[in-house]
Amino acid sequence: LSKAVTGQFYSVQVGDSTFTVLKRYQQLRAIGSGAQGIVCSAMDTVLGIPVAVKKLCRPFQNQTHAKRAYRELVLLKCVNHKNIIRLINVFTPQKSLEEFQDLYLVMELMDASLCQVIHMDLDHERMSYLLYQILCGIRHLHSAGIIHRDLKPSNIVVKSDCTLKILDFGLARTACTNFMMTPYVVTRYYRAPEVILGMKYKENVDLWSVGCIMAEMISHKILFPGKDYIDQWNKVIEVLGTPSLEFMNRLMETVRNYVMNKPQYPGVSFAELFPDWAFPSDSEHDKLKSKNFEC
C-alpha cells in the first residue's frame, strides 16, 4: 500500500479507490463493496479497537445519491440499539464546503456478513437467535417510524459469538412513497410484492424480507430467485399462488391487467415447501433447556 501523508490525514490505495483517512485509522484492508460504498477494516489507534471504515461512493454526484448519504448518516446517528450497527465517527478530508466531496463513516467491526453464514448447517438455537435479533432490530426501526427497505443477507452482519447487527440505511425511509421512483431498491430476491408491483407500502415490506432470509437459512437456497422484475413476480405467484381480488384491486390499472392475465396458480403448501426434515434439529443446549423445563 502506498501512503502519502498530509497533515492530519494520509492516503492509502485500496484496490481502485483511494482512502484518505485520519491517521488514527491504520492497517486498512478492503472487506467489502456495494452500490453505496467501499468498506475497509482498520485499527483505531485512539480507541484501541478494530473498526469498519466506509467510504461513500461519490455521495453528491446527484440528488438521489445525496439523499441516500444523508439518510444513512442521520439514521445511524439517531438509532441506538444493540442490533443496529453503531456509528463511531464520521469525517471528510476536505477543508471547505466548496471542496467537500468525500464522506467516511466509521462503524464497529463485525466478523462476517450473513451471506457467509446463511448456508451453514446452523442448529435450531443459533438460527432462532439470529432471526430473533433481526426481528428485534427491525422492530426498533419500525417503532421509530423507519422502514429499512433494503434488508438482505449482505446488509446484516454477525460476530463469531452469534451476535447480529443490521446496517446500510441509505435506502431507509420515514415516509411512504412509491418504490419505483428509486432507481436502486431492495435486492430483487428479497422484494415484497408491493415493491415489485410499484404499490404503496408500509413496514411489513421488511418482514417479507425477513421471511425470505429465514426460508434461505432453512432450505439453503433462495426462495424467489428472479432473473428480472417479471421473473421475480412469476416466482412469487408460482409458490404462493395467484393473489386475491382484494390485492388486485389495489394495483394500478396497467399493472392489474398484466397480473390478472397471468395463468392461475394454486400455490405450494407450507408443508411441501418446508418439510419437517428441512428444519434444524435441536442442539444439545436446546434439549437440556427442554429437559429442565419438563422437570
Side-chain angles (χ1 to χ4, degrees):
L1 297 174
S2 59
K3 298 184 181 180
V5 179
T6 53
Q8 200 181 4
F9 294 85
Y10 75 99
S11 296
V12 181
Q13 194 66 27
V14 180
D16 296 329
S17 184
T18 301
F19 270 59
T20 302
V21 298
L22 291 161
K23 288 180 183 176
R24 66 187 281 184
Y25 302 115
Q26 295 290 325
Q27 303 167 36
L28 269 69
R29 300 283 185 275
I31 56 172
S33 63
Q36 290 159 259
I38 301 164
V39 184
C40 282
S41 64
M43 176 55 69
D44 184 338
T45 57
V46 173
L47 296 178
I49 58 169
V51 293
V53 181
K54 179 177 182 177
K55 180 183 181 181
L56 296 183
C57 284
R58 300 170 63 203
F60 311 117
Q61 63 178 297
N62 56 44
Q63 192 177 46
T64 300
H65 277 242
K67 281 183 177 179
R68 208 171 281 170
Y70 178 73
R71 280 186 203 125
E72 179 158 28
L73 177 57
V74 169
L75 292 176
L76 280 171
K77 282 185 69 177
C78 293
V79 177
N80 180 21
H81 189 270
K82 64 182 180 179
N83 297 123
I84 307 291
I85 205 75
R86 182 167 62 94
L87 183 67
I88 298 171
N89 195 8
V90 58
F91 64 85
T92 177
Q94 282 89 45
K95 294 180 175 64
S96 68
L97 192 59
E98 289 73 31
E99 295 176 295
F100 183 34
Q101 59 178 349
D102 294 326
L103 191 63
Y104 293 83
L105 307 178
V106 182
M107 295 165 279
E108 53 192 325
L109 182 67
M110 304 290 278
D111 293 326
S113 81
L114 196 64
C115 291
Q116 296 158 275
V117 175
I118 199 166
H119 294 142
M120 290 181 180
D121 285 320
L122 299 166
D123 60 29
H124 178 270
E125 185 179 24
R126 285 180 178 84
M127 186 184 290
S128 299
Y129 186 44
L130 290 171
L131 289 164
Y132 171 73
Q133 290 176 94
I134 296 172
L135 291 170
C136 285
I138 288 298
R139 182 177 184 271
H140 182 76
L141 292 177
H142 290 176
S143 69
I146 299 165
I147 307 170
H148 189 287
R149 303 204 313 162
D150 195 26
L151 204 61
K152 54 187 175 182
S154 60
N155 280 351
I156 299 168
V157 284
V158 293
K159 278 202 164 183
S160 53
D161 65 358
C162 232
T163 54
L164 174 149
K165 294 176 191 288
I166 296 166
L167 48 80
D168 269 356
F169 296 94
L171 291 175
R173 295 301 292 266
T174 53
C176 289
T177 53
N178 193 323
F179 233 93
M180 303 298 277
M181 291 168 66
T182 309
Y184 171 81
V185 291
V186 98
T187 297
R188 188 186 309 117
Y189 305 148
Y190 309 94
R191 287 177 188 164
E194 294 94 330
V195 178
I196 299 169
L197 301 173
M199 302 163 69
K200 285 191 174 181
Y201 59 87
K202 50 187 179 180
E203 290 90 343
N204 59 3
V205 297
D206 286 338
L207 295 182
W208 175 280
S209 302
V210 175
C212 292
I213 291 167
M214 181 180 178
E216 199 169 325
M217 293 174 90
I218 293 165
S219 65
H220 294 172
K221 61 183 181 182
I222 296 163
L223 182 59
F224 304 121
K227 297 183 183 72
D228 51 45
Y229 278 106
I230 293 170
D231 189 43
Q232 187 67 28
W233 175 247
N234 290 342
K235 292 282 193 293
V236 170
I237 59 174
E238 282 165 19
V239 171
L240 299 183
T242 301
S244 66
L245 197 59
E246 185 272 330
F247 179 89
M248 300 285 197
N249 289 335
R250 289 162 52 202
L251 297 169
M252 292 181 292
E253 187 178 358
T254 50
V255 179
R256 182 167 64 244
N257 291 340
Y258 168 77
V259 170
M260 292 185 80
N261 284 326
K262 299 292 290 179
Q264 295 286 305
Y265 291 97
V268 181
S269 71
F270 188 88
E272 190 180 340
L273 202 58
F274 301 108
D276 287 347
W277 56 261
F279 289 85
S281 57
D282 287 354
S283 64
E284 289 304 314
H285 189 231
D286 285 319
K287 289 174 186 171
L288 187 64
K289 283 194 297 187
S290 175
K291 189 175 180 182
N292 289 341
F293 180 76
E294 286 170 2
C295 292

